[in-house]
Amino acid sequence: MKTVFFNKGFENTYKEKLRVAVLVSKAAFQFIQGVKPSDYKVPEEVKDAGFEICGDELGSIVEGHDVKKLKYHGRVNGIAEKLSTSTTEGISNDTDLLNKRQQIYGINKFIESQAKSFWVFVWEALQDMTLMILGVCALVSLIVGIATEGWPKGAHDGLGIVASILLVVFVTATSDYRQSLQFKDLDKEKKKISIQVTRNGYRQKMSIYELLPGDIVHLAIGDQVPADGLFLSGFSLLIDESSLTGESEPVVVNTENPFLLSGTKVQDGSCKMLITTVGMRTQWGKLMATLSEGGDDETPLQVKLNGVATIIGKIGLFFAVITFAVLMNGLVSLKLQQESFWSWNGDDAL
């Protein structure tokens, strides 16, 4: 029950971060909207490739829900023309044209964080406070043992502690490393999503990673919106944006509000959409990049366990200091009784 509670708490924290990032992003776009649409100029490389609108402009229209810019560019049909696509036939399958489109607008993939190596997990396992205290104890035990009993007899206790530390570290690191590999495999399986796309006049099943701006995608109940885009036609379309904004109420999408965002889901109805932005240029891609910059946050369960381990370590250290103080008091008392307090040698130190 506690694990479920902590996991829910972590999920709520993650959703709150996502919601704040969305609000900040929308505020930024509202500020950018102060620039007049008529000020927009098509970059030369985009013109040379045969298009009349760049990826950043498309992103600002959809992500910012900018109706003014959408009207300026001729609404959805105008955007389709500037993307050199047809709202009925889709884009061409010509390899050269697809490569040009990919070079200008990018691919529908997100930058993933680099996988940790096994030794990184070993280093993280060594950061445990209890193991650090045991390491200090092992060092002291080795020094005192070798000094009093010689090598190798005096090193038995110290080496035993070292062996225990290494065993705990490698078992923990191996377990965490195997779990990371399993999660990576599960994540790959989860991302194998296919969707119905009209390309070159034919409706076909295609991986979401092959989508490009200008593609015509067909969505039905339960489908995830694979990239940012615009509503073309459909029936009673309701979009669940809770995964993106945290809002539980579904959003009605139609010709008046044609904006569709990557990562959201179709709750009801069906539609045909025009893909405008893919990959890291989508709102979902930008949010993932923003959240990944903050590093890996610990779950509430990990925080709680680390707190317990720290308390145990402090208690152990406290009793170690008390034990040392008692033994030192006994030695000082003995020296006073023998009237040799001012006479110390190596044996006394040991």
Side-chain angles (χ1 to χ4, degrees):
M1 290 296 290
K2 286 185 178 179
T3 303
V4 173
F5 174 75
F6 289 134
N7 288 337
K8 284 184 177 179
F10 175 68
E11 183 180 352
N12 291 335
T13 303
Y14 179 79
K15 285 184 176 180
E16 181 62 22
K17 284 186 177 181
L18 200 59
R19 189 181 68 82
V20 171
V22 171
L23 293 176
V24 171
S25 179
K26 286 184 177 180
F29 272 109
Q30 287 175 0
F31 176 78
I32 293 171
Q33 285 174 13
V35 180
K36 294 180 181 178
S38 57
D39 294 340
Y40 173 71
K41 292 182 180 180
V42 184
E44 289 299 324
E45 63 271 16
V46 176
K47 282 184 180 179
D48 295 339
F51 308 107
E52 297 178 33
I53 190 168
C54 67
D56 292 336
E57 181 73 358
L58 289 167
S60 67
I61 292 172
V62 179
E63 188 177 344
H65 288 52
D66 196 331
V67 178
K68 290 181 181 179
K69 282 187 179 181
L70 183 63
K71 289 180 180 178
Y72 170 77
H73 289 288
R75 293 190 174 273
V76 180
N77 289 328
I79 296 290
E81 288 180 10
K82 293 184 177 185
L83 281 171
S84 299
T85 187
S86 167
T87 56
T88 56
E89 302 290 320
I91 62 178
S92 170
N93 269 334
D94 183 85
T95 305
D96 292 334
L97 294 177
L98 291 177
N99 288 337
K100 284 183 180 180
R101 195 177 294 270
Q102 183 174 314
Q103 288 174 359
I104 295 297
Y105 298 109
I107 57 177
N108 196 33
K109 289 185 179 179
F110 303 113
I111 298 175
E112 297 180 354
S113 58
Q114 197 171 12
K116 295 180 182 178
S117 67
F118 173 74
W119 296 108
V120 173
F121 287 100
V122 170
W123 173 252
E124 290 179 351
L126 283 169
Q127 306 307 307
D128 185 79
M129 178 63 71
T130 305
L131 294 181
M132 290 181 181
I133 294 173
L134 286 175
V136 173
C137 293
L139 179 63
V140 173
S141 178
L142 282 171
I143 295 173
V144 174
I146 293 173
T148 55
E149 300 182 31
W151 177 270
K153 185 178 179 181
H156 290 169
D157 291 341
L159 291 178
I161 298 174
V162 171
S164 300
I165 293 173
L166 292 177
L167 179 63
V168 171
V169 167
F170 278 97
V171 168
T172 302
T174 302
S175 176
D176 292 343
Y177 181 64
R178 289 180 63 185
Q179 285 182 13
S180 70
L181 294 179
Q182 290 173 356
F183 277 122
K184 193 174 181 181
D185 292 339
L186 287 173
D187 196 43
K188 284 182 179 178
E189 290 295 325
K190 185 179 68 175
K191 290 179 179 178
K192 289 181 180 179
I193 303 173
S194 298
I195 203 159
Q196 294 290 328
V197 180
T198 295
R199 183 178 284 189
N200 208 37
Y202 295 97
R203 183 164 171 169
Q204 53 195 292
K205 205 172 185 181
M206 186 181 297
S207 170
I208 62 172
Y209 300 117
E210 298 176 13
L211 293 176
L212 292 170
D215 270 321
I216 307 301
V217 173
H218 303 266
L219 298 175
I221 297 175
D223 286 340
Q224 180 175 317
V225 180
D228 289 358
L230 297 168
F231 175 89
L232 285 173
S233 61
F235 176 76
S236 302
L237 185 64
L238 289 178
I239 298 295
D240 178 11
E241 294 187 351
S242 60
S243 61
L244 195 63
T245 64
E247 298 293 336
S248 58
E249 288 296 323
V251 177
V252 178
V253 177
N254 48 36
T255 53
E256 299 300 321
N257 178 39
F259 307 105
L260 290 161
L261 299 176
S262 173
T264 59
K265 285 190 177 183
V266 179
Q267 183 170 314
D268 194 14
S270 60
C271 79
K272 192 166 68 170
M273 72 173 287
L274 169 67
I275 299 295
T276 58
T277 318
V278 294
M280 297 306 294
R281 281 180 171 166
T282 63
Q283 186 172 13
W284 184 260
K286 291 176 182 178
L287 292 177
M288 291 300 102
T290 302
L291 293 177
S292 64
E293 288 175 359
D296 297 329
D297 293 331
E298 292 183 333
T299 64
L301 179 59
Q302 288 175 318
V303 173
K304 193 76 173 178
L305 291 176
N306 289 338
V308 172
T310 302
I311 292 172
I312 293 173
K314 289 180 178 178
I315 292 173
L317 183 61
F318 172 76
F319 280 105
V321 171
I322 293 298
T323 302
F324 178 79
V326 170
L327 293 175
M328 179 60 71
N329 180 64
L331 178 60
V332 170
S333 299
L334 180 63
K335 298 291 286 184
L336 289 174
Q337 288 177 4
Q338 296 176 350
E339 298 183 351
S340 58
F341 181 78
W342 301 106
S343 175
W344 294 80
N345 54 39
D347 292 335
D348 292 331
L350 292 174

